[in-house]
Amino acid sequence: MPPRHGKSELCSHWTPVWMLSLDPSTPIILCSYEAEFAAKWGRLARRTTEELYPILGTRIMEDSRAAHRWETPQRGGLTTAGVGGP
């Protein structure tokens, strides 16, 4: 698909939220060309998961709040990484 057609929005934002709503024990890794760019999407997915908790029922552990790595009580969650970074 060409640029600006929602690829990142669908794959990096909504897919992790959807997968964790189906099975909160799913470990997900989100990779990108740069670590900060991946962390931006991780932060957005975490925020959306928290906001939609009443609907989806997916909770994020209180001690797992980093944008680049967060977990559910069932040990699933999201980790981000970049090719050009940590």
Side-chain angles (χ1 to χ4, degrees):
M1 288 177 61
R4 309 297 302 163
H5 273 72
K7 297 181 301 290
S8 294
E9 183 71 26
L10 177 64
C11 296
S12 301
H13 177 199
W14 289 106
T15 299
V17 173
W18 173 68
M19 288 297 300
L20 290 170
S21 74
L22 295 177
D23 182 5
S25 66
T26 303
I28 300 169
I29 185 163
L30 192 152
C31 299
S32 180
Y33 69 92
E34 203 268 324
E36 269 306 308
F37 186 72
K40 176 191 119 178
W41 289 107
R43 183 179 301 109
L44 185 59
R46 183 193 69 208
R47 188 177 309 132
T48 301
T49 301
E50 290 174 331
E51 290 172 358
L52 294 179
Y53 168 69
I55 297 167
L56 302 178
T58 305
R59 186 177 299 262
I60 296 174
M61 290 180 62
E62 291 295 322
D63 62 347
S64 181
R65 310 295 284 174
H68 70 284
R69 181 178 296 136
W70 46 271
E71 293 181 318
T72 64
Q74 295 83 7
R75 298 322 240 182
L78 182 72
T79 301
T80 67
V83 175

